[in-house]
Amino acid sequence: QQQVKQSPQSLIVQKGGISIINCAYENTAFDYFPWYQQFPGKGPALLIAIRPDVSEKKEGRFTISFNKSAKQFSLHIMDSQPGDSATYFCAASYYGGSQGNLIFGKGTKLSVKP
Amino acid sequence: IAGITQAPTSQILAAGRRMTLRCTQDMRHNAMYWYRQDLGLGLRLIHYSNTAGTTGKGEVPDGYSVSRANTDDFPLTLASAVPSQTSVYFCASSEYQSSEQFFGPGTRLTVL
């Protein structure tokens, strides 16, 4: 009930291409779905997040697509750049409450080739 | 600069030794967390604290202890280190338990 499954484990994309990372969750009570970006040697940092009242959220080249019925959400990186090379983590939780902590996926290592 | 600081940056430790990893935040966040990050396993929650004076166990608490005497500090102690505790440790904080988490720079710990 508490798992967040993330795929793929690693991804190689050419510069200018679209990177797509997928996550699936089990607990239908989750209402907050953030994505974190981590560069080598650094701590993760929030990239973009979505609540289930919308099906899509876009910030620059980064878009979250959310499918409530399928219990899935994905991160799309348009026009991928070498600077996007990092590890990406999806997560899920009950937002703003004391009912549970963020549950993280296992991460996707993205490499964008020039 | 507001944020989270961790110390030490890295440490090599003999098995059986006691070690405390330090974490301090200046954002007055209520919640704080300790994670370990291992290749292929992602971020695994060790312990957390929803507010000063309270702590809770995460996914992998065995061999670790924490305390939260005040809002700003959340030290993680390994009472008797073992090689399987070799990892990168991240401290994080958030305003509420499940809101955006801000991570520190990490501590790379090697137990020999």
Side-chain angles (χ1 to χ4, degrees):
Chain A
Q1 277 290 318
Q2 290 291 89
Q3 279 190 319
V4 176
K5 295 182 179 179
Q6 184 172 348
S7 63
Q9 187 173 5
S10 63
L11 181 62
I12 299 174
V13 174
Q14 289 297 122
K15 178 182 176 181
I18 302 173
S19 303
I20 301 174
I21 304 170
N22 300 299
C23 282
Y25 62 98
E26 299 171 356
N27 191 335
T28 56
F30 286 149
D31 63 358
Y32 175 60
F33 303 92
W35 284 90
Y36 282 77
Q37 180 187 54
Q38 183 182 28
F39 293 106
K42 304 292 185 181
L46 180 67
L47 180 64
I48 186 172
I50 196 169
R51 300 287 302 278
D53 51 346
V54 296
S55 59
E56 186 176 281
K57 182 174 182 179
K58 184 176 181 179
E59 291 184 2
R61 295 184 294 109
F62 301 90
T63 300
I64 298 180
S65 297
F66 184 78
N67 186 329
K68 188 174 182 177
S69 61
K71 292 185 288 185
Q72 295 176 347
F73 59 110
S74 60
L75 176 70
H76 295 237
I77 305 174
M78 310 300 289
D79 187 26
S80 298
Q81 298 297 312
D84 297 329
S85 297
T87 299
Y88 293 82
F89 295 93
C90 63
S93 75
Y94 316 92
Y95 182 72
S98 60
Q99 301 176 54
N101 298 303
L102 278 175
I103 308 297
F104 285 89
K106 294 190 183 301
T108 297
K109 184 175 182 179
L110 171 66
S111 297
V112 181
K113 300 301 183 184
Chain B
I1 298 176
I4 297 180
T5 57
Q6 292 185 237
T9 301
S10 64
Q11 182 74 45
I12 299 174
L13 188 67
R17 297 297 295 268
R18 181 184 179 89
M19 176 73 190
T20 295
L21 307 185
R22 300 184 298 277
C23 175
T24 300
Q25 56 105 354
D26 62 3
M27 296 174 282
R28 307 302 293 174
H29 283 168
N30 293 300
M32 296 187 74
Y33 315 84
W34 275 105
Y35 294 90
R36 59 177 291 173
Q37 184 173 33
D38 304 287
L39 191 64
L41 298 177
L43 293 160
R44 293 186 291 170
L45 182 65
I46 304 171
H47 285 286
Y48 65 94
S49 169
N50 291 340
T51 188
T54 68
T55 63
K57 294 181 179 180
E59 179 184 356
V60 289
D62 294 344
Y64 305 95
S65 64
V66 292
S67 62
R68 186 90 183 276
N70 57 61
T71 297
D72 299 342
D73 301 298
F74 191 43
L76 176 74
T77 297
L78 290 67
S80 179
V82 296
S84 62
Q85 292 177 312
T86 294
S87 187
V88 180
Y89 292 85
F90 287 100
C91 179
S93 72
S94 63
E95 185 175 5
Y96 305 105
Q97 183 179 3
S98 55
S99 57
E100 176 184 358
Q101 292 188 15
F102 295 82
F103 285 79
T107 293
R108 181 173 295 275
L109 181 67
T110 302
V111 183
L112 302 176

